[in-house]
Amino acid sequence: MGTTQLDTVQEPKYWHLKTVLSEALDSEFSVGEILPNERDLAARFGVARATLRQALEQLELEGRLQRRRGVGTTVAPPRMGVAVGSEQHAWPGAAGDAWQLVDCTVAVPPAAVADILETGREEQVHTVRRSRVTHGQHVAAELLYVPASSVPALSAIDAPSGAARARAVLRELQHLDLEAQDRAVELGSARADDAKELDRLPGAPVLVVTTRFYAEGRTAAVSVATYRADTCRLTFGDTGGVEIHHDSERRAS
Amino acid sequence: MGTTQLDTVQEPKYWHLKTVLSEALDSEFSVGEILPNERDLAARFGVARATLRQALEQLELEGRLQRRRGVGTTVAPPRMGVAVGSEQHAWPGAAGDAWQLVDCTVAVPPAAVADILETGREEQVHTVRRSRVTHGQHVAAELLYVPASSVPALSAIDAPSGAARARAVLRELQHLDLEAQDRAVELGSARADDAKELDRLPGAPVLVVTTRFYAEGRTAAVSVATYRADTCRLTFGDTGGVEIHHDSERRAS
DNA sequence: AAGTGGTCTAGACCACCGG
DNA sequence: CGGTGGTCTAGACCACTTC
């Protein structure tokens, strides 16, 4: 990349810098390539390191860069498309649904979830933890909240623990008649536990997908899935039964 | 809020600070209330202003705070739910669809859009600009790209300009038989023009919703809608025909 | 003019990864 | 161990809003 001077304009330096870097990434770097370190880059552009970092943060947010402490900054591959619309309505755990069981506990859910489930704010529910791996990348962590009333066959005490218990909860769920589901997407920042599972630092930007499952006229379960915002593009197949071909579900290694 | 000391722990100060502030927001502030200014807050917690700002940035990202230059930092209302799933498939511009026409130009779209449309990268297309207002708030800016081949009745030169031209393009679109649509959501940062329309600074986090409209076996139009990530929760109605009642579509003033 | 948040600097030290 | 990105400081000045 050239050592182009930053013109003295009435535009924040970090914004200008981001543009310059972005163009350099397009033309002079290939996916996976390592950039010079932050101190060198800052010196090359004649700005303080903090300013340079502001530009890099933006580019990372847009999925153009990937930074790892102790390693360096690399050019990120294009975001991968991750199907969220879920082909037809199906309970979590239906045949091969891209999610991998981690474990299951019984715990009091966050107040926001309790309100949606219409359980009391102190009431414990089954909490299944799952994680999603796509194209070899860890892209999402999920917590699935299932009130005991949705899986009456499961006694809270006799079920085995961990993954076996998780399987049991999901198996019981399939017995219910799924009437509808409801989804919302919003921006969030990764909690410490999710961040660890996603191999990011706490606070990393994530797309939070909240899904509400309806059965027997009420909310039978709620899923809160946390997707890495830097590497994922969430896709919703709304194709009305028509088969669509994409050549865009790619991700270079 | 208390002047609680930040314990010396092995956890970033800004992270701890964010937690403390978050709890204070829950218990001691109400929506719309103005926080003390950044210099005072930093002094009160015994940290540098930059560190305090890191915590505030996180809270703003999560939609808990709203900051405005020259004004101050206020407690944000809960995010508003914005329907994106679009009740059944429909062309943009169908009866009362929450969007407001701004204008229309003929221009070369970004390369990524040209690729999806399968037009040449130099080919000009109709570009309709719309904006979305929900609950009195400016929540989204959209660019709708329509190749001339999708609206053959419109000659590129004789159509009127501005909003009138936009209406004409949308009217012609309705004549096509919409076969399917396809949607993706990803995180982005606001370009200067979108930022201005959304009353944010350039670079503000946005949720970018890309919708592809299929008709006559090909992609007939592409919409790129930019939603304010701080104030919006995108909802997708996947309710399979069942009527669902929410009590959550609220937004305090 | 006064007060706010936004940008920027030039340093320092820390946590983590790799050889 | 050396090198990387992550955190933090204590200042300064700027852009904007409000009065």
Side-chain angles (χ1 to χ4, degrees), chain B residues 217-247:
Chain B
R218 59 189 189 79
T219 304
V222 167
S223 151
V224 178
T226 299
Y227 288 81
R228 283 183 60 154
D230 54 344
T231 57
C232 296
R233 201 181 76 249
L234 307 183
T235 65
F236 294 80
D238 226 24
T239 53
V242 179
E243 190 62 29
I244 305 290
H245 296 287
H246 297 240
D247 51 352

PDB file of all heavy atoms in Angstrom, chain B residues 217-247:
ATOM      1  N   GLY B 217     -38.083 -15.695 -13.198  1.00  0.00           N
ATOM      2  CA  GLY B 217     -36.910 -16.552 -13.139  1.00  0.00           C
ATOM      3  C   GLY B 217     -35.577 -15.867 -12.928  1.00  0.00           C
ATOM      4  O   GLY B 217     -34.518 -16.477 -13.053  1.00  0.00           O
ATOM      5  N   ARG B 218     -35.594 -14.584 -12.610  1.00  0.00           N
ATOM      6  CA  ARG B 218     -34.309 -13.921 -12.371  1.00  0.00           C
ATOM      7  C   ARG B 218     -34.464 -12.880 -11.261  1.00  0.00           C
ATOM      8  O   ARG B 218     -35.567 -12.644 -10.767  1.00  0.00           O
ATOM      9  CB  ARG B 218     -33.814 -13.256 -13.650  1.00  0.00           C
ATOM     10  CG  ARG B 218     -34.800 -12.239 -14.156  1.00  0.00           C
ATOM     11  CD  ARG B 218     -34.456 -11.704 -15.527  1.00  0.00           C
ATOM     12  NE  ARG B 218     -35.343 -10.586 -15.823  1.00  0.00           N
ATOM     13  CZ  ARG B 218     -35.172  -9.362 -15.347  1.00  0.00           C
ATOM     14  NH1 ARG B 218     -34.132  -9.107 -14.585  1.00  0.00           N
ATOM     15  NH2 ARG B 218     -36.019  -8.404 -15.625  1.00  0.00           N
ATOM     16  N   THR B 219     -33.388 -12.250 -10.904  1.00  0.00           N
ATOM     17  CA  THR B 219     -33.431 -11.223  -9.875  1.00  0.00           C
ATOM     18  C   THR B 219     -33.913  -9.925 -10.506  1.00  0.00           C
ATOM     19  O   THR B 219     -33.238  -9.342 -11.343  1.00  0.00           O
ATOM     20  CB  THR B 219     -32.038 -11.011  -9.261  1.00  0.00           C
ATOM     21  OG1 THR B 219     -31.570 -12.265  -8.771  1.00  0.00           O
ATOM     22  CG2 THR B 219     -32.098 -10.013  -8.135  1.00  0.00           C
ATOM     23  N   ALA B 220     -35.094  -9.487 -10.101  1.00  0.00           N
ATOM     24  CA  ALA B 220     -35.705  -8.325 -10.735  1.00  0.00           C
ATOM     25  C   ALA B 220     -35.380  -7.025 -10.015  1.00  0.00           C
ATOM     26  O   ALA B 220     -35.487  -5.943 -10.589  1.00  0.00           O
ATOM     27  CB  ALA B 220     -37.217  -8.504 -10.807  1.00  0.00           C
ATOM     28  N   ALA B 221     -34.989  -7.115  -8.764  1.00  0.00           N
ATOM     29  CA  ALA B 221     -34.642  -5.909  -8.011  1.00  0.00           C
ATOM     30  C   ALA B 221     -33.890  -6.312  -6.748  1.00  0.00           C
ATOM     31  O   ALA B 221     -34.024  -7.437  -6.262  1.00  0.00           O
ATOM     32  CB  ALA B 221     -35.893  -5.117  -7.654  1.00  0.00           C
ATOM     33  N   VAL B 222     -33.125  -5.390  -6.231  1.00  0.00           N
ATOM     34  CA  VAL B 222     -32.398  -5.622  -4.984  1.00  0.00           C
ATOM     35  C   VAL B 222     -32.567  -4.400  -4.093  1.00  0.00           C
ATOM     36  O   VAL B 222     -32.427  -3.274  -4.557  1.00  0.00           O
ATOM     37  CB  VAL B 222     -30.890  -5.868  -5.242  1.00  0.00           C
ATOM     38  CG1 VAL B 222     -30.108  -5.795  -3.944  1.00  0.00           C
ATOM     39  CG2 VAL B 222     -30.680  -7.207  -5.914  1.00  0.00           C
ATOM     40  N   SER B 223     -32.906  -4.666  -2.850  1.00  0.00           N
ATOM     41  CA  SER B 223     -33.040  -3.587  -1.892  1.00  0.00           C
ATOM     42  C   SER B 223     -31.954  -3.706  -0.825  1.00  0.00           C
ATOM     43  O   SER B 223     -31.708  -4.785  -0.296  1.00  0.00           O
ATOM     44  CB  SER B 223     -34.416  -3.664  -1.233  1.00  0.00           C
ATOM     45  OG  SER B 223     -34.375  -3.139   0.071  1.00  0.00           O
ATOM     46  N   VAL B 224     -31.307  -2.604  -0.529  1.00  0.00           N
ATOM     47  CA  VAL B 224     -30.325  -2.576   0.557  1.00  0.00           C
ATOM     48  C   VAL B 224     -30.822  -1.566   1.580  1.00  0.00           C
ATOM     49  O   VAL B 224     -30.796  -0.363   1.337  1.00  0.00           O
ATOM     50  CB  VAL B 224     -28.926  -2.194   0.042  1.00  0.00           C
ATOM     51  CG1 VAL B 224     -27.935  -2.135   1.201  1.00  0.00           C
ATOM     52  CG2 VAL B 224     -28.449  -3.173  -1.012  1.00  0.00           C
ATOM     53  N   ALA B 225     -31.318  -2.067   2.692  1.00  0.00           N
ATOM     54  CA  ALA B 225     -31.900  -1.200   3.713  1.00  0.00           C
ATOM     55  C   ALA B 225     -30.980  -1.150   4.927  1.00  0.00           C
ATOM     56  O   ALA B 225     -30.494  -2.171   5.396  1.00  0.00           O
ATOM     57  CB  ALA B 225     -33.272  -1.703   4.127  1.00  0.00           C
ATOM     58  N   THR B 226     -30.761   0.042   5.412  1.00  0.00           N
ATOM     59  CA  THR B 226     -29.820   0.302   6.493  1.00  0.00           C
ATOM     60  C   THR B 226     -30.585   0.748   7.734  1.00  0.00           C
ATOM     61  O   THR B 226     -31.131   1.848   7.752  1.00  0.00           O
ATOM     62  CB  THR B 226     -28.840   1.395   6.027  1.00  0.00           C
ATOM     63  OG1 THR B 226     -28.123   0.930   4.888  1.00  0.00           O
ATOM     64  CG2 THR B 226     -27.885   1.761   7.122  1.00  0.00           C
ATOM     65  N   TYR B 227     -30.643  -0.102   8.742  1.00  0.00           N
ATOM     66  CA  TYR B 227     -31.384   0.208   9.964  1.00  0.00           C
ATOM     67  C   TYR B 227     -30.444   0.637  11.080  1.00  0.00           C
ATOM     68  O   TYR B 227     -29.365   0.058  11.242  1.00  0.00           O
ATOM     69  CB  TYR B 227     -32.165  -1.024  10.452  1.00  0.00           C
ATOM     70  CG  TYR B 227     -33.354  -1.378   9.598  1.00  0.00           C
ATOM     71  CD1 TYR B 227     -33.200  -2.099   8.416  1.00  0.00           C
ATOM     72  CD2 TYR B 227     -34.635  -1.001   9.967  1.00  0.00           C
ATOM     73  CE1 TYR B 227     -34.294  -2.426   7.622  1.00  0.00           C
ATOM     74  CE2 TYR B 227     -35.746  -1.328   9.186  1.00  0.00           C
ATOM     75  CZ  TYR B 227     -35.560  -2.035   8.021  1.00  0.00           C
ATOM     76  OH  TYR B 227     -36.637  -2.347   7.236  1.00  0.00           O
ATOM     77  N   ARG B 228     -30.849   1.614  11.863  1.00  0.00           N
ATOM     78  CA  ARG B 228     -30.074   2.004  13.043  1.00  0.00           C
ATOM     79  C   ARG B 228     -29.985   0.823  13.991  1.00  0.00           C
ATOM     80  O   ARG B 228     -31.003   0.361  14.498  1.00  0.00           O
ATOM     81  CB  ARG B 228     -30.773   3.166  13.770  1.00  0.00           C
ATOM     82  CG  ARG B 228     -30.582   4.508  13.113  1.00  0.00           C
ATOM     83  CD  ARG B 228     -31.240   5.598  13.914  1.00  0.00           C
ATOM     84  NE  ARG B 228     -30.694   5.691  15.271  1.00  0.00           N
ATOM     85  CZ  ARG B 228     -30.698   6.807  15.993  1.00  0.00           C
ATOM     86  NH1 ARG B 228     -31.208   7.913  15.495  1.00  0.00           N
ATOM     87  NH2 ARG B 228     -30.202   6.820  17.197  1.00  0.00           N
ATOM     88  N   ALA B 229     -28.767   0.373  14.254  1.00  0.00           N
ATOM     89  CA  ALA B 229     -28.612  -0.801  15.110  1.00  0.00           C
ATOM     90  C   ALA B 229     -28.866  -0.465  16.569  1.00  0.00           C
ATOM     91  O   ALA B 229     -29.219  -1.332  17.363  1.00  0.00           O
ATOM     92  CB  ALA B 229     -27.221  -1.404  14.945  1.00  0.00           C
ATOM     93  N   ASP B 230     -28.699   0.808  16.919  1.00  0.00           N
ATOM     94  CA  ASP B 230     -28.847   1.146  18.338  1.00  0.00           C
ATOM     95  C   ASP B 230     -30.307   1.159  18.767  1.00  0.00           C
ATOM     96  O   ASP B 230     -30.618   0.809  19.904  1.00  0.00           O
ATOM     97  CB  ASP B 230     -28.184   2.496  18.644  1.00  0.00           C
ATOM     98  CG  ASP B 230     -28.697   3.607  17.734  1.00  0.00           C
ATOM     99  OD1 ASP B 230     -29.323   3.296  16.698  1.00  0.00           O
ATOM    100  OD2 ASP B 230     -28.472   4.780  18.064  1.00  0.00           O
ATOM    101  N   THR B 231     -31.199   1.519  17.865  1.00  0.00           N
ATOM    102  CA  THR B 231     -32.591   1.691  18.283  1.00  0.00           C
ATOM    103  C   THR B 231     -33.544   0.628  17.745  1.00  0.00           C
ATOM    104  O   THR B 231     -34.713   0.629  18.110  1.00  0.00           O
ATOM    105  CB  THR B 231     -33.123   3.066  17.818  1.00  0.00           C
ATOM    106  OG1 THR B 231     -32.984   3.161  16.404  1.00  0.00           O
ATOM    107  CG2 THR B 231     -32.388   4.200  18.486  1.00  0.00           C
ATOM    108  N   CYS B 232     -33.052  -0.249  16.876  1.00  0.00           N
ATOM    109  CA  CYS B 232     -33.972  -1.194  16.229  1.00  0.00           C
ATOM    110  C   CYS B 232     -33.723  -2.650  16.581  1.00  0.00           C
ATOM    111  O   CYS B 232     -32.589  -3.085  16.736  1.00  0.00           O
ATOM    112  CB  CYS B 232     -33.877  -1.068  14.712  1.00  0.00           C
ATOM    113  SG  CYS B 232     -34.396   0.507  14.073  1.00  0.00           S
ATOM    114  N   ARG B 233     -34.823  -3.360  16.710  1.00  0.00           N
ATOM    115  CA  ARG B 233     -34.797  -4.820  16.816  1.00  0.00           C
ATOM    116  C   ARG B 233     -35.609  -5.293  15.611  1.00  0.00           C
ATOM    117  O   ARG B 233     -36.796  -4.988  15.504  1.00  0.00           O
ATOM    118  CB  ARG B 233     -35.489  -5.239  18.123  1.00  0.00           C
ATOM    119  CG  ARG B 233     -35.138  -6.607  18.630  1.00  0.00           C
ATOM    120  CD  ARG B 233     -35.886  -6.919  19.909  1.00  0.00           C
ATOM    121  NE  ARG B 233     -37.270  -7.255  19.645  1.00  0.00           N
ATOM    122  CZ  ARG B 233     -38.326  -6.522  19.973  1.00  0.00           C
ATOM    123  NH1 ARG B 233     -38.165  -5.390  20.605  1.00  0.00           N
ATOM    124  NH2 ARG B 233     -39.530  -6.933  19.679  1.00  0.00           N
ATOM    125  N   LEU B 234     -34.972  -5.990  14.694  1.00  0.00           N
ATOM    126  CA  LEU B 234     -35.671  -6.406  13.483  1.00  0.00           C
ATOM    127  C   LEU B 234     -36.497  -7.653  13.778  1.00  0.00           C
ATOM    128  O   LEU B 234     -35.979  -8.628  14.319  1.00  0.00           O
ATOM    129  CB  LEU B 234     -34.670  -6.706  12.359  1.00  0.00           C
ATOM    130  CG  LEU B 234     -33.672  -5.593  12.046  1.00  0.00           C
ATOM    131  CD1 LEU B 234     -32.791  -5.982  10.859  1.00  0.00           C
ATOM    132  CD2 LEU B 234     -34.390  -4.288  11.768  1.00  0.00           C
ATOM    133  N   THR B 235     -37.760  -7.613  13.402  1.00  0.00           N
ATOM    134  CA  THR B 235     -38.598  -8.788  13.670  1.00  0.00           C
ATOM    135  C   THR B 235     -39.016  -9.439  12.362  1.00  0.00           C
ATOM    136  O   THR B 235     -39.301  -8.761  11.370  1.00  0.00           O
ATOM    137  CB  THR B 235     -39.856  -8.404  14.465  1.00  0.00           C
ATOM    138  OG1 THR B 235     -40.685  -7.554  13.670  1.00  0.00           O
ATOM    139  CG2 THR B 235     -39.485  -7.690  15.745  1.00  0.00           C
ATOM    140  N   PHE B 236     -39.030 -10.755  12.387  1.00  0.00           N
ATOM    141  CA  PHE B 236     -39.385 -11.538  11.227  1.00  0.00           C
ATOM    142  C   PHE B 236     -40.597 -12.386  11.563  1.00  0.00           C
ATOM    143  O   PHE B 236     -40.506 -13.282  12.398  1.00  0.00           O
ATOM    144  CB  PHE B 236     -38.226 -12.436  10.820  1.00  0.00           C
ATOM    145  CG  PHE B 236     -37.034 -11.669  10.352  1.00  0.00           C
ATOM    146  CD1 PHE B 236     -36.163 -11.102  11.259  1.00  0.00           C
ATOM    147  CD2 PHE B 236     -36.804 -11.483   9.001  1.00  0.00           C
ATOM    148  CE1 PHE B 236     -35.067 -10.367  10.829  1.00  0.00           C
ATOM    149  CE2 PHE B 236     -35.717 -10.762   8.561  1.00  0.00           C
ATOM    150  CZ  PHE B 236     -34.850 -10.197   9.473  1.00  0.00           C
ATOM    151  N   GLY B 237     -41.695 -12.067  10.957  1.00  0.00           N
ATOM    152  CA  GLY B 237     -42.907 -12.826  11.256  1.00  0.00           C
ATOM    153  C   GLY B 237     -42.952 -14.105  10.466  1.00  0.00           C
ATOM    154  O   GLY B 237     -43.124 -14.096   9.263  1.00  0.00           O
ATOM    155  N   ASP B 238     -42.779 -15.194  11.179  1.00  0.00           N
ATOM    156  CA  ASP B 238     -42.676 -16.501  10.542  1.00  0.00           C
ATOM    157  C   ASP B 238     -43.814 -17.340  11.073  1.00  0.00           C
ATOM    158  O   ASP B 238     -43.662 -18.534  11.307  1.00  0.00           O
ATOM    159  CB  ASP B 238     -41.346 -17.136  10.976  1.00  0.00           C
ATOM    160  CG  ASP B 238     -40.627 -17.724   9.782  1.00  0.00           C
ATOM    161  OD1 ASP B 238     -40.900 -17.269   8.670  1.00  0.00           O
ATOM    162  OD2 ASP B 238     -39.816 -18.628   9.992  1.00  0.00           O
ATOM    163  N   THR B 239     -44.940 -16.709  11.263  1.00  0.00           N
ATOM    164  CA  THR B 239     -45.930 -17.310  12.147  1.00  0.00           C
ATOM    165  C   THR B 239     -46.837 -18.340  11.478  1.00  0.00           C
ATOM    166  O   THR B 239     -47.810 -18.784  12.084  1.00  0.00           O
ATOM    167  CB  THR B 239     -46.812 -16.206  12.772  1.00  0.00           C
ATOM    168  OG1 THR B 239     -47.338 -15.405  11.703  1.00  0.00           O
ATOM    169  CG2 THR B 239     -45.992 -15.342  13.684  1.00  0.00           C
ATOM    170  N   GLY B 240     -46.501 -18.699  10.257  1.00  0.00           N
ATOM    171  CA  GLY B 240     -47.253 -19.781   9.625  1.00  0.00           C
ATOM    172  C   GLY B 240     -48.756 -19.572   9.632  1.00  0.00           C
ATOM    173  O   GLY B 240     -49.525 -20.513   9.708  1.00  0.00           O
ATOM    174  N   GLY B 241     -49.186 -18.331   9.546  1.00  0.00           N
ATOM    175  CA  GLY B 241     -50.618 -18.056   9.429  1.00  0.00           C
ATOM    176  C   GLY B 241     -51.319 -17.889  10.761  1.00  0.00           C
ATOM    177  O   GLY B 241     -52.431 -17.397  10.822  1.00  0.00           O
ATOM    178  N   VAL B 242     -50.653 -18.280  11.845  1.00  0.00           N
ATOM    179  CA  VAL B 242     -51.277 -18.141  13.153  1.00  0.00           C
ATOM    180  C   VAL B 242     -51.094 -16.704  13.654  1.00  0.00           C
ATOM    181  O   VAL B 242     -50.030 -16.113  13.491  1.00  0.00           O
ATOM    182  CB  VAL B 242     -50.645 -19.126  14.168  1.00  0.00           C
ATOM    183  CG1 VAL B 242     -51.272 -18.956  15.534  1.00  0.00           C
ATOM    184  CG2 VAL B 242     -50.794 -20.540  13.662  1.00  0.00           C
ATOM    185  N   GLU B 243     -52.127 -16.188  14.225  1.00  0.00           N
ATOM    186  CA  GLU B 243     -52.040 -14.817  14.718  1.00  0.00           C
ATOM    187  C   GLU B 243     -51.388 -14.786  16.099  1.00  0.00           C
ATOM    188  O   GLU B 243     -51.817 -15.483  17.015  1.00  0.00           O
ATOM    189  CB  GLU B 243     -53.445 -14.209  14.800  1.00  0.00           C
ATOM    190  CG  GLU B 243     -53.446 -12.720  15.060  1.00  0.00           C
ATOM    191  CD  GLU B 243     -52.778 -11.949  13.950  1.00  0.00           C
ATOM    192  OE1 GLU B 243     -52.803 -12.438  12.787  1.00  0.00           O
ATOM    193  OE2 GLU B 243     -52.228 -10.889  14.223  1.00  0.00           O
ATOM    194  N   ILE B 244     -50.359 -14.006  16.223  1.00  0.00           N
ATOM    195  CA  ILE B 244     -49.638 -13.912  17.492  1.00  0.00           C
ATOM    196  C   ILE B 244     -49.827 -12.519  18.072  1.00  0.00           C
ATOM    197  O   ILE B 244     -49.779 -11.530  17.363  1.00  0.00           O
ATOM    198  CB  ILE B 244     -48.131 -14.137  17.271  1.00  0.00           C
ATOM    199  CG1 ILE B 244     -47.887 -15.454  16.557  1.00  0.00           C
ATOM    200  CG2 ILE B 244     -47.389 -14.094  18.589  1.00  0.00           C
ATOM    201  CD1 ILE B 244     -48.169 -16.662  17.367  1.00  0.00           C
ATOM    202  N   HIS B 245     -50.032 -12.465  19.335  1.00  0.00           N
ATOM    203  CA  HIS B 245     -50.163 -11.159  19.974  1.00  0.00           C
ATOM    204  C   HIS B 245     -48.933 -10.826  20.795  1.00  0.00           C
ATOM    205  O   HIS B 245     -48.502 -11.618  21.616  1.00  0.00           O
ATOM    206  CB  HIS B 245     -51.407 -11.132  20.879  1.00  0.00           C
ATOM    207  CG  HIS B 245     -52.671 -11.296  20.106  1.00  0.00           C
ATOM    208  ND1 HIS B 245     -53.180 -10.296  19.322  1.00  0.00           N
ATOM    209  CD2 HIS B 245     -53.480 -12.361  19.956  1.00  0.00           C
ATOM    210  CE1 HIS B 245     -54.277 -10.739  18.740  1.00  0.00           C
ATOM    211  NE2 HIS B 245     -54.490 -11.993  19.107  1.00  0.00           N
ATOM    212  N   HIS B 246     -48.416  -9.663  20.520  1.00  0.00           N
ATOM    213  CA  HIS B 246     -47.269  -9.195  21.294  1.00  0.00           C
ATOM    214  C   HIS B 246     -47.723  -8.044  22.157  1.00  0.00           C
ATOM    215  O   HIS B 246     -48.504  -7.217  21.715  1.00  0.00           O
ATOM    216  CB  HIS B 246     -46.185  -8.629  20.374  1.00  0.00           C
ATOM    217  CG  HIS B 246     -45.609  -9.640  19.447  1.00  0.00           C
ATOM    218  ND1 HIS B 246     -44.293  -9.961  19.447  1.00  0.00           N
ATOM    219  CD2 HIS B 246     -46.180 -10.390  18.512  1.00  0.00           C
ATOM    220  CE1 HIS B 246     -44.081 -10.869  18.524  1.00  0.00           C
ATOM    221  NE2 HIS B 246     -45.201 -11.152  17.936  1.00  0.00           N
ATOM    222  N   ASP B 247     -47.118  -7.970  23.315  1.00  0.00           N
ATOM    223  CA  ASP B 247     -47.297  -6.740  24.075  1.00  0.00           C
ATOM    224  C   ASP B 247     -45.977  -5.985  24.081  1.00  0.00           C
ATOM    225  O   ASP B 247     -45.731  -5.144  24.911  1.00  0.00           O
ATOM    226  CB  ASP B 247     -47.743  -7.032  25.502  1.00  0.00           C
ATOM    227  CG  ASP B 247     -46.836  -8.047  26.150  1.00  0.00           C
ATOM    228  OD1 ASP B 247     -45.976  -8.605  25.436  1.00  0.00           O
ATOM    229  OD2 ASP B 247     -46.993  -8.286  27.345  1.00  0.00           O
TER     230      ASP B 247
END
